[in-house]
Amino acid sequence: MASAAAPSPKANMGAPAPRYDARLKVTGEARYPADVAVANPAFAVLVTSSIAKGRIERLDLDQARAVPGVLDILTYENTGELKPAKFGQGSSTSIQDLGPDIFQDGQIIAVVLADTFEAATEAAQSVKATYAAQAPSATFGSQGLNSEDAAKVSQQHEHLPEAGDAETAIGGADVTIDGHYGTPTQHHNPIELFATTCEWTADRLTVYEPSQFVYGLRNGVAQRLGIAPEKVRVASHYVGGAFGSKGTMTPRTAMIALAAKRLNRPVKLVATRDQGFTIATYRAETRHHIRLGARRDGKLVGYAHEGWEISSRSDPYVVAGVEDSAQLYAFGAVKTKVNVVHADRNTPGYMRSPPVVPYIFALESAMDEMAEKLGMDPIEFRRVNDTMTSPIENKPYSSRSLMACYDRAAEAFGWKRRNRLPGSMRDGEWLVGYGCATAVYPTHIGPAAARVRLMPNGDVRVQIAAHEIGNGVYTVLGQMAAERLGVGLSSVKVEVGDTRLPPAPVAGGSNTTASSCSAVLKTCDAIRAKLFHASVTANDGPLAGRNVEELTLTDGKVAASDGTGENLADVFKRLGMSTIEEYSEFVPDGLEPDAVADLYAGKLTMTGGPHGKKVMYAMGAELVEVHVHSQTCEIRVPRIVGAFAAGRLMNTRTVHSQYMGGMIWGISSALHEATEIDTRYARYVNDNLADYMVPVNADVKDVQVILVPEVDHDVNPAGVKGLGELANVGTAAAVANAVYHATGKRIHQLPIRIEKLL
Ligand code: MOS
């Protein structure tokens, strides 16, 4: 039945099937990696550094070793056999050693192993480290940072977008905007902590760890241990939140594997919440300088965007969101530059919508300022600069429904009630503001392989090492197989998240549904072809001599257009088979044929977004109402409306959930979230869920999601654009623009808190 959470499908949308794993999750039957029972485990507790820069001079382990039940303590003195893994090739950081050199606060310096978690905890607290500490550089404005041009140090971002002569265009423009923007450090904080359990059976290792890329983790761990990848299995059947934090290998995994080997006993680690802030990745703090030039009639003529992103001392992690922002409108000339700013911090990493969240906040804030300066409605300003051709290399869009999204959202929101004058709308003591911004996310696509089995009774099994991170992958893969093989969803068993299965890409870049569904579609079609061939080439039987083109597979029958059909069981008999099982590999256009072989080796190549012959993006429009109290400056978001188009939608329920969650996270990003840093020590202060601010129910009122139909035959065989990371893009700018509209104050630095408005 349709409800707000399960919208009725419109054109090119799949049914809102309830989640395949819903019952398992609510009944506690779903086993997350830390839930997997292993025999006689030892427990690991991490010790992390209390300085950000310097060297361990002495480690005193006597007191720790004396705690009853302590079995072993790993330190830099006994972990030399671990081999380094290169940053950027599946490893989250090059800060992998337990010392003696310290590059970040909270670097792992010891792993204490004991018979019980309590003993390990007590012993970990008894490890005494003496350091030679140096003053660290924490963040923008700190002494001792070093900055590099991203194009020179990050292979991935060698060619940043450029078109025409932006300096001249902006210099000669009728109207210009010149602004500086900033976004804070944020941490993913998935509710499931960073856990790893390792178990050896002879020379074979099994790793139970929540992962967004099991093949990447398998190969990374094998490399660090110096063993063949075939000896390692990674199992991650459910992931309790990730948002990018579980996409790359972090240093802990190889340490726990080594500990289990030394003890000849399974070892289990569940790192604490505060350790999660430093032993994994986070969203980097950013700064932006944007200049826009436009003609009087609103046509943009130039866009210049320079970004600065904080990274660790050792690694050039950078998101370079100009690669996407530069495609967004008919800018005319474009000039971009990105700088990596090295500080004494842990290496940042992917966090939901990594490139676009900070860069689109800056651009969409500047767009609002430009609209105002031009005296134009901000939606109309975007319409004037809407385009089906990217300003970079003039590539066509595969499809683009941005203005359809704005129109649908504006109507539902009642945008026309907006009085353009800032500070002009009120509700009692509250100032009312309406703001809008664009959401955009590149459609990525990667290679994937799948195995599918069909039985004569219509039972189906789908196997693919995709990842269930809350994205609904069990459900949508099941739906794809059910549709292609003509059975009910309840007949389909789906297996994911295990290196025993054929490989799929990282559950990142919102590519999962597109890539994995394309692989499952291809594999199911191979089964259909076998069945159809058997039916038409038979000497007898109802479909003998028919053309396969006119056949379909529905309700357990191969059927022709005139209704003539043959039961599956009969077709299987004809084939002399009890089961049909197919394996196939899907390689998207633009990738090398050996892309799947690379995937088996843990190496992922992806295409799409700005990279193909056409540019591919999912888009949306977000309209927000804010109330700002006239005396206290308290900020409220009574409602938000988002309309989105992302090609074929596999399941309107899971899509609705992704969009709603995304917009709520966007509100969080706008008003609440920031990791606070004590700059003296380059240390995170609010490294717990009590002090790390996120919105609660009272902060989120009316969230309306509109699904705008869109058909795109270019993106991939499934016609699916990635959307998991679409809806939290642009929200922060929409809120900031609404705050301006309410108060007349532009806040360029997130989060927008009361003190910034006072
Ligand atoms: Mo997502 S941050 O691309 O895992």
Side-chain angles (χ1 to χ4, degrees), residues 212 243-245 247 350-354 441 469 506-510 725:
Q212 294 171 258
F243 317 115
S245 68
Y350 304 111
M351 182 161 156
R352 199 176 190 179
S353 336
Y441 198 79
I469 58 172
V506 63
S510 296
E725 294 168 278

Side-chain angles (χ1 to χ4, degrees), residues 200-368:
W200 291 85
T201 310
D203 63 347
R204 294 188 165 267
L205 170 67
T206 302
V207 179
Y208 301 98
E209 177 175 314
S211 170
Q212 294 171 258
F213 190 24
V214 289
Y215 271 85
L217 185 57
R218 174 179 88 152
N219 284 275
V221 172
Q223 192 204 326
R224 291 218 62 200
L225 297 171
I227 62 176
E230 293 71 33
K231 303 277 189 197
V232 181
R233 173 189 169 211
V234 174
S236 175
H237 301 149
Y238 298 94
V239 180
F243 317 115
S245 68
K246 293 163 184 170
T248 46
M249 177 177 64
T250 62
R252 75 181 193 275
T253 315
M255 295 174 191
I256 299 305
L258 178 63
K261 194 171 141 195
R262 283 166 64 105
L263 293 180
N264 193 23
R265 182 172 167 182
V267 171
K268 188 167 191 161
L269 166 76
V270 181
T272 58
R273 175 63 59 188
D274 62 308
Q275 288 171 345
F277 278 69
T278 65
I279 67 163
T281 61
Y282 60 95
R283 194 195 296 282
E285 193 172 357
T286 69
R287 294 287 182 272
H288 306 262
H289 180 209
I290 292 189
R291 288 170 298 149
L292 288 173
R295 295 191 326 217
R296 266 278 150 244
D297 63 4
K299 279 265 182 214
L300 286 163
V301 295
Y303 165 45
H305 191 155
E306 181 165 6
W308 291 262
E309 305 179 27
I310 290 285
S311 189
S312 61
R313 194 59 80 175
S314 48
D315 301 324
Y317 176 83
V318 67
V319 295
V322 289
E323 288 179 344
D324 301 306
S325 67
Q327 320 284 337
L328 190 50
Y329 300 111
F331 288 117
V334 174
K335 181 182 175 184
T336 64
K337 188 178 179 199
V338 172
N339 306 282
V340 195
V341 181
H342 296 281
D344 300 302
R345 298 269 297 271
N346 48 323
T347 308
Y350 304 111
M351 182 161 156
R352 199 176 190 179
S353 336
V356 272
V357 155
Y359 282 79
I360 294 295
F361 164 69
L363 172 61
E364 287 294 287
S365 297
M367 287 290 285
D368 199 70

Side-chain angles (χ1 to χ4, degrees), residues 476-500:
V476 298
L477 292 175
Q479 283 179 287
M480 180 56 89
E483 176 189 305
R484 297 310 290 169
L485 299 177
V487 302
L489 185 55
S490 59
S491 301
V492 186
K493 184 171 189 285
V494 182
E495 296 176 16
V496 303
D498 199 315
T499 53
R500 287 175 168 170

Side-chain angles (χ1 to χ4, degrees), residues 555-701:
D555 300 331
K557 257 195 190 118
V558 174
S561 41
D562 62 4
T564 315
E566 182 168 31
N567 285 325
L568 265 189
D570 295 331
V571 187
F572 271 82
K573 249 184 230 150
R574 208 176 275 300
L575 278 161
M577 292 175 83
S578 64
T579 302
I580 301 181
E581 187 166 277
E582 285 289 328
Y583 163 90
S584 61
E585 300 184 347
F586 163 72
V587 178
D589 285 346
L591 291 186
E592 300 295 323
D594 54 3
V596 175
D598 282 348
L599 201 52
Y600 272 101
K603 194 176 148 228
L604 173 63
T605 47
M606 287 216 272
T607 184
H611 301 295
K613 288 190 202 84
K614 295 186 176 180
V615 290
M616 301 171 179
Y617 284 87
M619 290 196 184
E622 298 190 19
L623 276 51
V624 178
E625 178 172 338
V626 303
H627 289 183
V628 181
H629 195 272
S630 54
Q631 303 301 314
T632 65
C633 293
E634 181 184 342
I635 309 162
R636 293 272 149 200
V637 180
R639 63 198 182 101
I640 176 164
V641 176
F644 305 94
R648 178 177 178 186
L649 307 183
M650 289 300 298
N651 179 321
T652 56
R653 183 195 302 267
T654 54
V655 168
H656 180 274
S657 160
Q658 288 293 329
Y659 286 153
M660 189 173 67
M663 285 197 282
I664 291 169
W665 200 347
I667 293 171
S668 181
S669 194
L671 301 177
H672 305 271
E673 269 187 75
T675 305
E676 310 292 348
I677 302 153
D678 184 331
T679 54
R680 295 168 302 171
Y681 306 109
R683 181 181 300 156
Y684 303 130
V685 177
N686 53 341
D687 54 357
N688 58 72
L689 286 183
D691 298 321
Y692 186 89
M693 305 300 281
V694 292
V696 296
N697 280 354
D699 296 307
V700 180
K701 304 281 203 247

